[in-house]
Amino acid sequence: NSYNERGVVAPLSEYLAARGPAVAGPIVVALSDFASDYELPEAACQSPAIRALSEMTWLIGGIDNDIQSWPKEHRLQESGQNIIAAIADHFDCSPETALAKTVALRNLIMQRFLELSGLAAERASEESRRYIADLGHVIRGNLDWGRGVPRYLTQTDGDAQATMAREREQLLSDTTVTTEAPDLADLPSISWWWSPQTSQSA
């Protein structure tokens, strides 16, 4: 809110640290075991690998929502606190270049999520394996939800609405394409997810 009041975009690393909690990520993943009628042991909750996977889930959800809302915000010039705006400011680049970098960063995090999930599941307890699988369901469920949520659409005529829907679907499709991603050394709030210590704790 303080950045909005000053009319500036949050620094990228700060934005990445705050985005997951801003979309209620911690609450959603904390309810995963409860909703599926099991309990994740406290020791597993404190594992660096499980913590990293949980945080990745929050952030992927936030990035997906930012990408999905971008066509509406860009058309209405309401980008505000959006990762695309944060990346554009960080790299002093155009919105189009920032969007490509956003998709690439999303891909990079998703690739690490899949890699670390596999490592952690090999040695995890049954409850931890179920929790890891549930994190994947959260990512997919949020992505599907964002495809049709009304707040990402504008009250415009049918042709404009159809064009915007195509733009949003193209952005979702582009998340399968790997392009140049931001340097993780510039992003200390998330770079620890790739550390050897995190992998070894899996």
Side-chain angles (χ1 to χ4, degrees):
N1 287 339
S2 64
Y3 289 113
N4 281 332
E5 291 172 359
R6 286 180 283 160
V8 297
V9 179
L12 181 56
S13 190
E14 288 186 26
Y15 184 88
L16 294 174
R19 184 59 178 137
V23 295
I27 296 173
V28 171
V29 301
L31 292 174
S32 295
D33 56 349
F34 175 79
S36 298
D37 195 27
Y38 67 94
E39 183 176 357
L40 185 68
E42 180 63 25
C45 292
Q46 299 305 319
S47 160
I50 293 293
R51 285 176 44 226
L53 288 168
S54 297
E55 291 185 13
M56 281 185 244
T57 301
W58 312 341
L59 184 54
I60 290 170
I63 291 175
D64 284 345
N65 291 164
D66 281 355
I67 291 173
Q68 290 170 315
S69 67
W70 179 248
K72 172 185 175 181
E73 294 178 350
H74 191 51
R75 282 175 181 270
L76 300 180
Q77 298 183 338
E78 296 177 345
S79 57
Q81 300 302 321
N82 183 297
I83 190 172
I84 299 161
I87 284 180
D89 182 70
H90 183 82
F91 292 100
D92 192 22
C93 62
S94 69
E96 292 74 21
T97 298
L99 179 56
K101 287 182 177 292
T102 298
V103 170
L105 178 61
R106 193 269 186 197
N107 287 347
L108 186 66
I109 298 170
M110 191 71 227
Q111 289 165 4
R112 179 54 174 164
F113 176 88
L114 294 172
E115 176 187 39
L116 191 58
S117 292
L119 291 172
E122 288 179 0
R123 291 177 281 181
S125 64
E126 179 183 352
E127 292 82 5
S128 294
R129 285 196 299 271
R130 292 182 66 181
Y131 178 76
I132 292 168
D134 283 342
L135 293 181
H137 297 324
V138 169
I139 292 172
R140 180 70 219 192
N142 177 73
L143 195 59
D144 289 341
W145 169 82
R147 289 177 184 269
V149 65
R151 80 182 195 202
Y152 292 162
L153 304 174
T154 56
Q155 298 300 317
T156 59
D157 62 79
D159 288 344
Q161 199 69 276
T163 297
M164 189 175 300
R166 286 194 297 272
E167 290 175 352
R168 294 170 68 244
E169 287 303 309
Q170 184 61 50
L171 292 177
L172 292 173
S173 298
D174 287 346
T175 60
T176 64
V177 179
T178 300
T179 54
E180 182 182 355
D183 187 349
L184 291 172
D186 290 336
L187 307 174
S189 60
I190 67 172
S191 60
W192 70 273
W193 297 341
W194 283 263
S195 72
Q197 291 83 0
T198 301
S199 296
Q200 290 165 7
S201 72

